[in-house]
Amino acid sequence: MTAPQPLRMPEPAPRSEAVEVPPPCVRPRLTPKRALDMTLSLALLLACLPLLGLIALLIRLDSRGPILFRQQRIGLAGQPFHIVKFRTMHVLEDGADVVQAIEGDPRVTRVGGVLRVTSLDELPQLLNVLSGEMSLVGPRPHAAAHDDYYRARIPNYLYRQNMRPGITGWAQVNGARGATPQVADMQARVDLDAWYVDNASLALDLKILARTPLVVLSRRKAC
């Protein structure tokens, strides 16, 4: 009679570590709006190359720091991306505390003041449009820190993320540009963005693009 074998407990399976799953990648589809974005942004980049070079030189001569400024923004479906602008300040804020620029802000450089008034600091965002992170027309993307602040105070704030963010938008050509010192100021902008999301069309985009230079020249108010 054989001796009883000792009871062996199965070894526990190794525990898998929690893996943070990144948000799904939103790939731009070739729609009429996307075709307009690609065609016009590429044409503008090529046409503005001498101007871009001149602005870069002036920034380099005016103050210390990089020529371009990258800051995390939130785009379509909550996707984070890094917006590209010409640097207009002595500081490079991109974190939990991002203070909006105001008129006479001492952080703004001499060249930066001109760029902000004329919105020429936005020209590098044509690269964001070509990459599909932005559109020529759409709700303006805000700093991630500002998104966290306003989403807790404005019920329909995230509705604007149903469209790809734009260099210009319905809110901007209807007076909702510049700083938003009060929550009511941002609410007004969000309501205009929501209207655009519900009524977006290629014809509306062309109308906004046509009105944008007139608004910049008439109001001279930094976005």
Side-chain angles (χ1 to χ4, degrees):
M1 186 173 182
T2 59
Q5 298 295 320
L7 181 62
R8 296 182 179 274
M9 298 295 293
E11 296 182 1
R15 296 178 60 184
S16 58
E17 296 182 359
V19 178
E20 184 178 351
V21 180
C25 180
V26 180
R27 298 183 181 277
R29 295 179 299 165
L30 188 57
T31 61
K33 179 179 176 68
R34 178 61 184 156
L36 175 67
D37 284 343
M38 294 174 64
T39 303
L40 193 53
S41 59
L42 181 59
L44 287 172
L45 270 176
L46 294 176
C48 292
L49 277 177
L51 177 60
L52 295 172
L54 176 60
I55 293 173
L57 177 62
L58 292 175
I59 293 173
R60 177 64 72 189
L61 295 175
D62 180 54
S63 60
R64 297 179 60 181
I67 293 172
L68 296 177
F69 169 57
R70 293 175 174 83
Q71 186 181 67
Q72 182 170 288
R73 302 286 175 100
I74 306 300
L76 176 65
Q79 288 281 315
F81 71 99
H82 282 89
I83 199 170
V84 185
K85 307 177 72 171
F86 279 124
R87 181 177 60 83
T88 60
M89 292 187 174
H90 295 287
V91 298
L92 302 173
E93 295 179 343
D94 185 18
D97 296 314
V98 178
V99 181
Q100 288 187 357
I102 59 175
E103 187 175 354
D105 198 314
R107 298 172 300 166
V108 177
T109 65
R110 290 172 298 179
V111 171
V114 177
L115 295 180
R116 295 178 69 86
V117 168
T118 57
S119 293
L120 290 175
D121 60 321
E122 313 286 1
L123 284 177
Q125 289 166 44
L126 293 170
L127 297 173
N128 290 116
V129 175
L130 281 176
S131 69
E133 296 166 322
M134 293 180 63
S135 176
L136 290 173
V137 179
R140 283 293 296 162
H142 301 143
H146 295 164
D147 271 9
D148 292 339
Y149 177 83
Y150 287 113
R151 67 188 295 180
R153 292 162 174 82
I154 299 177
N156 62 333
Y157 183 82
L158 295 182
Y159 190 67
R160 61 203 307 276
Q161 293 179 4
N162 285 300
M163 293 291 291
R164 208 173 302 277
I167 296 179
T168 185
W170 183 244
Q172 283 64 48
V173 299
N174 282 280
R177 306 177 73 233
T180 53
Q182 304 295 328
V183 173
D185 298 323
M186 181 60 76
Q187 179 70 72
R189 180 183 296 182
V190 169
D191 290 342
L192 289 167
D193 287 336
W195 185 92
Y196 173 79
V197 171
D198 290 336
N199 297 274
S201 68
L202 196 60
L204 181 58
D205 281 6
L206 293 172
K207 179 180 179 180
I208 293 171
L209 289 172
R211 288 179 57 181
T212 296
L214 302 177
V215 171
V216 172
L217 292 175
S218 62
R219 296 187 63 90
R220 295 295 181 93
K221 193 175 180 183
C223 179

